[in-house]
């Protein structure tokens, strides 16, 4: 497919954001600087992804452009560090759209066929009028790839199964996507297909770094998956690859739990065991690839969830990307990124905290997993961020605290060197998390802490509790936020300022009725609806102040869809019992925050 030509944007970029826009653009266009010593290997940190777009699904395959539009947002949100996405059940028109909307990427499409009654292969259609197949989306600076398609044997009544690989001989790198046959009736064939893949990788790509993504249609402990897992994983594994989303990460061993992880497709009934996960989508890499992080995120337009990973790949010495090399600007000249706010910004509840600093006597619970730290790693080369100086969010901080610290020059050293400020504030002023805890407790305990069981849900409604606690304080919070934004504007006029809203903590629909969240606490449906409504109202008020002061407001709720407490996917929040920082985002939740914010860096204010 031929990419669309770039068209110059008619909107002039002027004013205080120009420096940051140009710096961020340099990241997009910049290839890593090769090592000065040509005898040294060259490592690159990148993001990779795997997604079954469900073009063959009766429920999702007939949709219009929602699926590719959502994938475009996901790819752009992960920034230029995203190198490869392997695709199954893609539709040609969807992939053409991706090719048009992603000018920095190429799309290699591999159609699949199905034999007719006479044994002649015919193009397999999606559930709408478009050809069906696999694909690999790859960044354009990875040039010189050679494509090869491998045909797996056909199953009666099923579309042809194939593997598509792109290899670079100079980088000794191969990226493959594979889709194995589905169904219990085809388990033996699936095992044969998996063995073929293992053999092809061993024979054709010996000595290459392998990235393999695919819908493998089986569970981690299955015989088919044993053909992929490195033997160190145990359970008769005899493959050569490491799985990025294994709970064991890079610490591979023969524990049963290492062949496990987040499911990406449905759940099988499991009685008292609570369900058996179908982990159908996988990303495998060569053992020498370093896996920094991996996560499955929720998709609204497929019955599969996309899988993403942060990895580091080492190329042979002397090798570098073939695109023109652009030197990064000196670090000292880059605009600074300052992250301020409350516990939702500090990462309280996400673990791995920095040691306390001198700006506050108490421990601010600043996590290395906080969304600001994820963002800082994504924009490295365009912005500089020193956690000791620029990460000033603090658990427990109220709006008045932030305002006083800015005025007293104790917070973030705001000046004209700052190019980006992110802030979430107001939750502590409104006692937001504790109010939610009160909502839960009121359903089960009276004022004297006597249990209401066995008839929970008879206590004061969450809506009434929120009104009594939150409403009297809201006006003061909004006034303080306005003053904060005005102070930032005066001290750092070159900065883009992003006010981050609060996510909906609990899945609000009555789909699951009352549910038991991960920490064992029953959460009534009506209460979840009250929390949703209150969150939406709070964010609406915060947005109004932000936009009035020329700041951008980011609504995180869509990114957390399905991952709230009682949601369909993995929970991105700590529970009420047994977790620190109840109802605060965990590590995965902080990454969800980052994915919501990244697409808005330097976006026009009227582009919502």
């Amino acid at each position: 497919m031929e990419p669309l030509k770039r068209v110059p944007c008619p909107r002039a970029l002027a004013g205080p954001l120009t420096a940051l826009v140009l710096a961020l653009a340099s990241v997009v266009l910049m290839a890593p600087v090769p090592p000065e010593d040509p005898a040294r290997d060259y490592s690159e940190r990148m993001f990779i992804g795997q997604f079954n777009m469900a073009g063959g699904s009766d429920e999702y395959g007939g949709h219009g452009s929602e699926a590719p539009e959502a994938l475009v947002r996901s790819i752009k949100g992960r920034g230029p560090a995203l190198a490869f996405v392997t695709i199954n059940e893609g539709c040609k028109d969807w992939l053409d759209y991706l090719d048009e909307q992603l000018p920095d990427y190429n799309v290699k499409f591999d159609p699949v066929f199905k034999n007719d009654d006479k044994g002649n292969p015919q193009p397999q259609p999606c559930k709408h009028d478009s050809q069906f197949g696999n694909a690999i989306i790859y960044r354009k600076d990875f040039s010189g790839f050679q494509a090869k398609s491998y045909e797996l044997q056909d199953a009666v009544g099923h579309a042809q199964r194939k593997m598509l690989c792109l290899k670079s001989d100079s980088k000794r790198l191969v990226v493959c996507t594979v889709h194995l046959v589905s169904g219990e009736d085809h388990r033996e064939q699936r095992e044969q297909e998996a063995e073929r893949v293992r053999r092809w990788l061993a024979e054709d790509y010996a000595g290459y770094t392998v990235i393999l993504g695919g819908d493998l249609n089986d569970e981690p402990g299955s015989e088919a998956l044993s053909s992929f897992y490195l033997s160190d994983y145990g359970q008769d594994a005899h493959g050569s690859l490491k799985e990025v989303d294994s709970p064991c990460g890079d610490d591979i061993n023969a524990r049963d739990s290492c062949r496990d992880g987040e499911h990406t497709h449905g759940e099988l009934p499991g009685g008292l065991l609570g369900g058996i996960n179908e982990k159908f989508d996988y990303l495998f890499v060569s053992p020498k690839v370093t896996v920094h992080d991996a996560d499955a995120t929720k998709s609204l337009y497929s019955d599969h969830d996309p899988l993403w990973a942060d990895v580091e790949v080492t190329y042979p010495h002397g090798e570098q990307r073939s695109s023109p090399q652009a030197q990064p600007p000196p670090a000292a000249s880059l605009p600074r990124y300052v992250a301020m706010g409350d516990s939702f910004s500090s990462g309280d509840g996400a673990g791995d905290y920095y040691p306390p600093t001198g700006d506050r006597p108490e421990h601010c619970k600043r996590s290395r997993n906080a969304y600001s730290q994820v963002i800082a790693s994504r924009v490295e080369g365009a912005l500089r961020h020193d956690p000791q100086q620029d990460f000033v969010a603090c658990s427990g901080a109220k709006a008045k605290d932030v305002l006083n610290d800015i005025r007293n020059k104790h917070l973030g050293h705001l000046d004209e060197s700052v190019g980006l400020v992110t802030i979430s504030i107001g939750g502590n002023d409104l006692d937001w998390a504790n109010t939610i805890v009160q909502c839960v407790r009121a359903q089960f305990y009276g004022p004297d802490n006597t249990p209401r069981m066995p008839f929970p849900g008879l206590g004061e409604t969450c809506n009434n509790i929120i009104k009594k606690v939150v409403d009297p304080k809201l006006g003061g919070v909004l006034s303080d936020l306005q003053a904060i934004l005005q102070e930032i504007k005066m001290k750092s006029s070159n900065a883009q300022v992003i006010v981050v809203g609060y996510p909906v903590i609990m899945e609000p629909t009555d789909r699951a009725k009352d549910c038991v969240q991960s920490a064992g606490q029953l959460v009534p449906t009506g209460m979840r609806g009250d929390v949703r409504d209150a969150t939406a109202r709070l964010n609406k008020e915060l947005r109004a102040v932000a936009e009035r002061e020329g700041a951008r407001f980011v609504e995180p709720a869509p990114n957390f869809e399905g991952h709230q407490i009682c949601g369909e996917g993995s929970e991105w929040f700590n529970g009420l019992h047994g977790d620190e920082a109840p109802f605060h985002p965990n590590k995965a939740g902080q990454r969800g925050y980052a994915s919501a914010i990244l697409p808005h860096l330097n976006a026009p204010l009227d582009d919502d």
Side-chain angles (χ1 to χ4, degrees):
M1 286 176 282
E2 293 295 325
L4 293 180
K5 295 181 179 179
R6 292 178 181 266
V7 179
C9 178
R11 182 190 300 270
L13 288 174
L17 298 182
T18 303
L20 180 54
V21 172
L22 294 176
L24 283 170
S26 73
V27 171
V28 176
L29 299 176
M30 182 182 68
V33 181
E36 295 180 1
D37 181 359
R40 293 175 56 193
D41 290 345
Y42 163 54
S43 295
E44 179 182 1
R45 191 161 173 176
M46 64 178 67
F47 285 95
I48 57 176
Q50 153 63 26
F51 185 36
N52 183 319
M53 297 186 74
S57 162
D58 290 329
E59 182 178 359
Y60 297 97
H63 280 222
S65 59
E66 294 96 335
E69 287 173 353
L71 186 54
V72 165
R73 290 193 297 270
S74 291
I75 290 174
K76 288 183 176 180
R78 283 164 175 80
L82 182 66
F84 304 102
V85 184
T86 54
I87 298 291
N88 303 125
E89 293 197 38
C91 302
K92 182 66 162 56
D93 60 335
W94 289 354
L95 293 161
D96 285 343
Y97 177 84
L98 289 164
D99 205 29
E100 293 170 358
Q101 297 297 315
L102 298 170
D104 297 314
Y105 292 84
N106 287 325
V107 179
K108 179 62 179 177
F109 177 69
D110 187 27
V112 301
F113 298 85
K114 185 176 181 179
N115 289 337
D116 60 19
D117 295 339
K118 297 180 180 179
N120 299 316
Q122 301 295 330
Q124 176 72 6
C126 286
K127 292 299 179 178
H128 63 275
D129 188 19
S130 185
Q131 198 166 4
F132 180 80
N134 302 315
I136 299 175
I137 303 169
Y138 63 100
R139 210 169 51 211
K140 281 187 175 178
D141 55 313
F142 285 93
S143 58
F145 273 123
Q146 304 171 51
K148 185 173 182 178
S149 181
Y150 297 81
E151 294 186 6
L152 301 170
Q153 69 183 47
D154 297 330
V156 178
H158 283 259
Q160 182 186 52
R161 299 296 172 167
K162 302 176 75 175
M163 178 171 74
L164 170 66
C165 293
L166 300 178
K167 74 165 181 173
S168 167
D169 288 332
S170 61
K171 295 180 175 65
R172 306 295 288 176
L173 172 70
V174 61
V175 182
C176 300
T177 180
V178 62
H179 191 187
L180 300 187
V181 70
S182 63
E184 185 63 30
D185 293 344
H186 299 286
R187 177 172 294 278
E188 183 176 350
Q189 182 187 331
R190 186 161 54 251
E191 293 170 359
Q192 293 172 359
E193 291 174 353
E195 269 298 295
R196 285 189 178 87
V197 171
R198 184 193 65 80
R199 189 178 69 247
W200 286 331
L201 293 177
E203 294 175 353
D204 293 357
Y205 305 111
Y208 282 69
T209 297
V210 175
I211 298 173
L212 182 141
D215 175 4
L216 305 183
N217 273 311
D218 219 329
E219 299 167 16
S222 67
E223 178 59 31
L225 267 295
S226 290
S227 295
F228 296 93
Y229 281 103
L230 190 72
S231 58
D232 292 2
Y233 283 94
Q235 300 183 59
D236 298 322
H238 53 277
S240 59
L241 301 174
K242 176 169 61 178
E243 198 229 323
V244 301
D245 202 29
S246 164
C248 299
D250 280 333
D251 183 23
I252 304 170
N253 54 61
R255 296 196 307 269
D256 289 350
S257 61
C258 288
R259 288 177 65 167
D260 199 353
E262 295 178 274
H263 66 281
T264 61
H265 181 268
E267 189 171 271
L268 296 173
L272 295 176
L273 296 179
I276 302 172
N277 289 336
E278 299 177 341
K279 188 179 179 181
F280 278 4
D281 295 271
Y282 298 80
L283 273 170
F284 284 98
V285 295
S286 295
K288 61 184 178 182
V289 174
T290 301
V291 178
H292 293 284
D293 199 6
D295 187 38
T297 59
K298 183 66 179 173
S299 171
L300 299 178
Y301 304 108
S302 172
D303 53 359
H304 290 252
D305 292 336
L307 182 62
W308 308 98
D310 176 1
V311 301
E312 191 166 342
V313 176
T314 300
Y315 305 127
H317 61 267
E319 177 53 38
Q320 61 195 60
R321 293 191 205 162
S322 56
S323 60
Q325 300 296 324
Q327 298 294 328
S333 68
L334 294 175
R336 289 167 47 223
Y337 166 33
V338 173
M340 57 178 60
D342 54 20
S343 54
F344 276 61
S345 290
S346 75
D348 191 1
D352 195 9
Y353 302 107
Y354 291 107
T357 58
D359 62 336
R360 288 187 184 276
E362 69 272 21
H363 197 321
C364 280
K365 294 291 186 75
R366 292 169 181 153
S367 171
R368 293 177 176 86
N369 299 317
Y371 69 72
S372 61
Q373 306 309 286
V374 178
I375 292 172
S377 70
R378 301 294 191 276
V379 298
E380 187 177 0
L383 294 167
R384 55 191 167 110
H385 177 81
D386 178 0
Q388 293 296 315
Q389 175 186 3
D390 300 324
F391 186 16
V392 293
C394 191
S395 180
K398 296 183 177 181
K400 193 71 73 177
D401 297 327
V402 176
L403 181 59
N404 290 336
D405 283 345
I406 293 176
R407 287 172 172 170
N408 295 326
K409 300 182 180 180
H410 291 158
L411 188 58
H413 308 289
L414 291 174
D415 56 30
E416 294 299 345
S417 69
V418 177
L420 174 66
V421 176
T422 57
I423 180 172
S424 67
I425 200 68
N428 288 316
D429 301 75
L430 304 176
D431 205 18
W432 186 246
N434 285 333
T435 300
I436 307 304
V437 172
Q438 289 181 47
C439 285
V440 175
R441 289 189 58 83
Q443 311 307 308
F444 302 95
Y445 298 94
D448 57 353
N449 281 333
T450 57
R452 298 186 188 277
M453 299 296 283
F455 302 108
L458 300 179
E460 185 175 13
T461 67
C462 187
N463 189 44
N464 287 341
I465 293 173
I466 291 172
K467 285 184 176 180
K468 286 197 304 185
V469 176
V470 172
D471 286 9
K473 304 174 183 177
L474 185 56
V477 171
L478 299 177
S479 177
D480 287 341
L481 174 60
Q482 180 177 356
I484 288 170
L485 297 178
Q486 291 171 350
E487 289 285 341
I488 294 173
K489 191 184 303 181
M490 285 191 295
K491 297 179 182 298
S492 303
S493 62
N494 290 330
Q496 180 188 20
V497 182
I498 295 179
V499 177
V500 186
Y502 292 90
V504 177
I505 295 173
M506 300 176 184
E507 207 286 328
T509 71
D510 60 359
R511 170 189 49 77
K513 305 300 180 185
D514 294 348
C515 77
V516 178
Q517 51 98 346
S518 59
Q521 176 66 57
L522 184 70
V523 183
T525 299
M527 196 203 93
R528 304 204 311 267
D530 289 345
V531 172
R532 172 201 56 200
D533 295 342
T535 304
R537 187 161 60 92
L538 172 60
N539 284 340
K540 181 180 179 180
E541 298 289 351
L542 295 173
R543 176 189 288 273
V545 174
E547 293 180 347
R548 190 163 60 246
E549 295 301 322
R552 172 165 288 277
F553 181 83
V554 172
E555 168 63 77
N559 291 71
F560 282 75
E561 186 68 33
H563 292 284
Q564 307 101 319
I565 290 174
C566 298
E568 291 181 321
S570 57
E571 291 181 1
W572 286 2
F573 293 93
N574 296 319
L576 175 59
H577 300 301
D579 290 322
E580 60 175 332
F583 300 134
H584 281 63
N586 56 24
K587 178 181 177 181
Q590 288 290 332
R591 293 183 67 85
Y593 250 134
S595 66
I597 296 168
L598 281 165
H600 295 277
L601 296 188
N602 292 296
L605 286 176
D606 58 354
D607 182 24
D608 280 318

